């Protein structure tokens, strides 16, 4: 069965493509390479031993999306495509509303049009959401019934797209919708052939630490050590990208098996501080990661980690890889590809 991955050449999408092939599915990557690299397709082929079909284009092009859906007739669609830099979304909210919300509307309209051409169709859609929809949680661990809010336009787009999906499902009960709220995806494929490749200065902790360890950056700025946490630095639920990819496969299987729609947290269910991650990375890489304490970053929360119990019960899935695994796999990718997918 074919599964269409919008944004499938991206960090989470490409790792999900590998997991889908290993589970016997046929992923089709749809991407415009606005925030990903064509080399990913070659690396995918190296890992899975077969070419993954590519549809190159923009999800905002609804007629083109309809054509892709008609030609491939995928059993399901996973919607990864979108912009995801919190800081950029504050500076350029219209780009995020247009690309993220507009892209999701375009995809859902194309799916609805094509589904109408098949009697009794049950369009199946998995959406890449984020723990950012929980805003600043009143407590941890976080369960799916926690109140949602947004603290930046990026998080706002995730919340709006969730609400659009819920409204669509209410109007079209035949649709099968899986909303997956990612916590902090980190790590790289164990082969070292694929990994996170942020453009410019990384916003996120793990890729920044990796670039310090490999010598690309002088030191890490730790954004605050006066939080109400064990060592004063921010605590997050880091989840290995391959565990996250396995969560997508479990979600697809459950939806295609006829399950009702669901929203689940995809997290490891434990928190680690910035300094714990730095220490783990030094152990994994054998390199020092110099750091300086810097002022808090606007919008950061002290602690955020998941209660992944619902995903475990519904999907029979849980994260299995440790923080040491995440650091070791990141280091293998970073040290083997110091410039990511761009040629050295
Ligand atoms: C983690 C911790 C920082 C960088 C964001 C998005 C979220 C999701 C994941 C897309 C925090 C600290 C970081 C640095 C630091 N993205 N830090 N120095 O902010 O939890 O989540 O990325 O879906 O939606 O909000 O992740 O990796 O940026 O920060 O001290 O140079 O590391 O303060 O405590 P975050 P992060």
């Amino acid at each position: 069965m074919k599964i269409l991955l919008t944004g499938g050449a991206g960090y989470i999408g490409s790792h999900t493509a590998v997991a889908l092939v290993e589970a016997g599915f046929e992923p089709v990557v749809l991407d415009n390479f606005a925030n990903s690299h064509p080399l990913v397709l070659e690396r995918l082929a190296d890992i899975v031993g077969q070419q993954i079909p590519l549809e190159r284009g923009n999800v905002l092009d609804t007629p083109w999306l309809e054509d892709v859906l008609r030609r491939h007739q995928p059993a399901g669609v996973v919607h990864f495509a979108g912009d995801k830099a919190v800081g950029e979304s504050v500076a350029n909210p219209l780009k995020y509303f247009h690309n993220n919300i507009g892209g999701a509307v375009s995809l859902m309209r194309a799916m609805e049009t094509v589904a109408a051409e098949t009697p009794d169709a049950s369009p199946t859609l998995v959406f890449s959401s984020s723990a950012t929809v929980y805003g600043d949680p009143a407590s941890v661990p976080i369960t799916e019934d926690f109140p949602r809010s947004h603290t930046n336009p990026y998080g706002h787009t995730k919340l709006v797209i969730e609400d659009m999906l819920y409204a669509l499902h209410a109007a079209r009960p035949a649709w099968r919708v899986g909303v997956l709220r990612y916590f902090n995806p980190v790590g790289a494929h164990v082969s070292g052939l694929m990994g996170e490749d942020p453009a410019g200065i990384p916003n996120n902790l793990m890729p920044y630490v990796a670039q310090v360890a490999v010598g690309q950056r002088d030191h890490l700025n730790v954004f605050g050590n006066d939080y109400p946490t064990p060592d004063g630095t921010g605590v997050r639920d880091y989840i290995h990208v391959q565990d996250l990819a396995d969560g997508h496969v479990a979600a697809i299987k459950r939806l295609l098996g006829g399950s009702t729609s669901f929203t689940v947290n995809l997290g490891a269910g434990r928190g680690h501080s910035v300094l714990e991650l730095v220490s783990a990375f030094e152990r994994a890489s054998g390199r020092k990661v110099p750091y300086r304490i810097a002022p808090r970053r606007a919008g950061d929360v002290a602690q955020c980690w998941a209660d992944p119990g619902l995903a475990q019960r519904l999907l029979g899935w849980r994260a299995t890889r440790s923080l040491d695994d995440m650091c070791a796999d990141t280091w293998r990718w970073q040290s083997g590809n110091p410039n990511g997918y761009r040629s050295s």
Side-chain angles (χ1 to χ4, degrees), residues 14-15 18 40 43-44 47 188-189 191-196 333 341:
S14 56
H15 287 81
V18 171
V40 169
R43 297 292 178 86
L44 269 175
I47 292 171
H189 190 263
S191 65
L193 292 172
M194 289 193 327
E196 191 171 6
W333 154 253
Y341 293 111

Side-chain angles (χ1 to χ4, degrees), residues 67-88:
D67 173 53
V68 170
L69 290 167
R70 287 191 185 101
R71 282 189 285 108
H72 290 287
Q73 293 293 326
V77 179
V78 185
H79 184 43
F80 295 104
D83 297 307
K84 61 159 197 159
V86 171
E88 183 191 36

Side-chain angles (χ1 to χ4, degrees), residues 84 86 130 132 154 183-185 202-206 208 220-223 234-236 238 274 297 300-301:
K84 61 159 197 159
V86 171
S130 167
T132 198
Y154 159 74
F183 277 69
N184 286 63
N203 299 305
N204 296 136
L205 179 64
M206 180 70 96
Y208 200 104
L220 168 73
N221 291 305
V222 175
F223 298 147
V235 172
R236 295 291 185 276
Y238 297 100
V274 175
R297 179 174 63 177
D300 273 354
V301 301

